[in-house]
Amino acid sequence: MIFHSNDVSETERIGAELAKDLKPGSFAALYGDLGAGKTAFVRGAVSVLCKDAPVCSPTYSIVNRYDGEIPVYHFDLYRINDDDDLYSTGYYDIIEENAIFFCEWCEKCPQAIPDGAIKIFISREGDGRRIEIADTFT
Ligand SMILES: Nc1ncnc2c1ncn2[C@@H]1O[C@H](COP(=O)(O)OP(=O)(O)OP(=O)(O)O)[C@@H](O)[C@H]1O
Ligand SMILES: [Mg+2]
């Protein structure tokens, strides 16, 4: 499915729409350049899943956890260089939890993205963004 977003609030709204379809174990893999709008998309989704949780970019922390009815983990793999790095963050244990997962910069660690992940590709399109959601189950 392809969406066109003219500003950050539209990207948040598209994220919020997707969130309604997510269940425990869902893994949303985000792809796109610096400043594409990945964190904005996740902010919108988390606003539905974990009311009032403040979403910030986990670029330095690698992972943020937000508490909702179902816990949500938000990863950013930008600073991960290899699988050993990723392993040491606890990523592989965390993704076995009964939670919902968002992961930015999945192009950094393609081998680490679970089969069945929902893939979200965000790119610039004029002043706006093109957002493609590829659900492997549909
Ligand atoms: N249509 C749009 N959707 C999302 N963000 C937009 C849009 N138009 C402009 N922006 C701006 O682009 C930036 C997106 O920032 P955001 O942190 O979400 O990107 P990111 O993809 O997570 O970047 P990073 O790779 O650094 O994590 C914000 O400054 C936002 O205001
Ligand atoms: Mg980001």
Side-chain angles (χ1 to χ4, degrees):
M1 221 159 5
I2 295 170
F3 300 87
H4 303 279
S5 161
N6 291 313
D7 60 35
V8 65
S9 65
E10 274 189 53
T11 297
E12 290 172 0
R13 210 149 51 233
I14 296 163
E17 275 304 309
L18 175 81
K20 296 176 188 163
D21 294 333
L22 302 179
K23 301 173 189 61
S26 293
F27 191 107
L30 292 112
Y31 300 81
D33 285 346
L34 280 171
K38 302 177 294 297
T39 299
F41 186 98
V42 175
R43 189 181 308 115
V46 172
S47 73
V48 171
L49 298 167
C50 307
K51 301 247 177 327
D52 303 324
V55 172
C56 55
S57 175
T59 307
Y60 293 95
S61 58
I62 313 294
V63 60
N64 292 340
R65 183 183 199 272
Y66 311 116
D67 288 316
E69 207 175 314
I70 305 161
V72 172
Y73 287 96
H74 177 193
F75 296 97
D76 187 326
L77 306 184
Y78 186 68
R79 292 164 59 85
I80 299 290
N81 292 314
D82 55 36
D83 219 38
D84 282 349
D85 255 14
L86 187 57
Y87 199 84
S88 68
T89 66
Y91 173 89
Y92 288 107
D93 292 324
I94 292 171
I95 66 171
E96 294 301 319
E97 289 187 27
N98 198 32
I100 291 173
F101 307 95
F102 294 90
C103 187
E104 300 189 36
W105 281 104
C106 291
E107 44 280 81
K108 293 281 290 189
C109 299
Q111 76 292 347
I113 309 311
D115 291 343
I118 298 160
K119 296 187 173 177
I120 299 147
F121 303 94
I122 308 182
S123 54
R124 285 183 172 73
E125 176 177 64
D127 290 336
R129 302 292 189 270
R130 176 186 188 275
I131 301 176
E132 180 173 357
I133 301 181
D135 186 333
T136 48
F137 295 114
T138 57

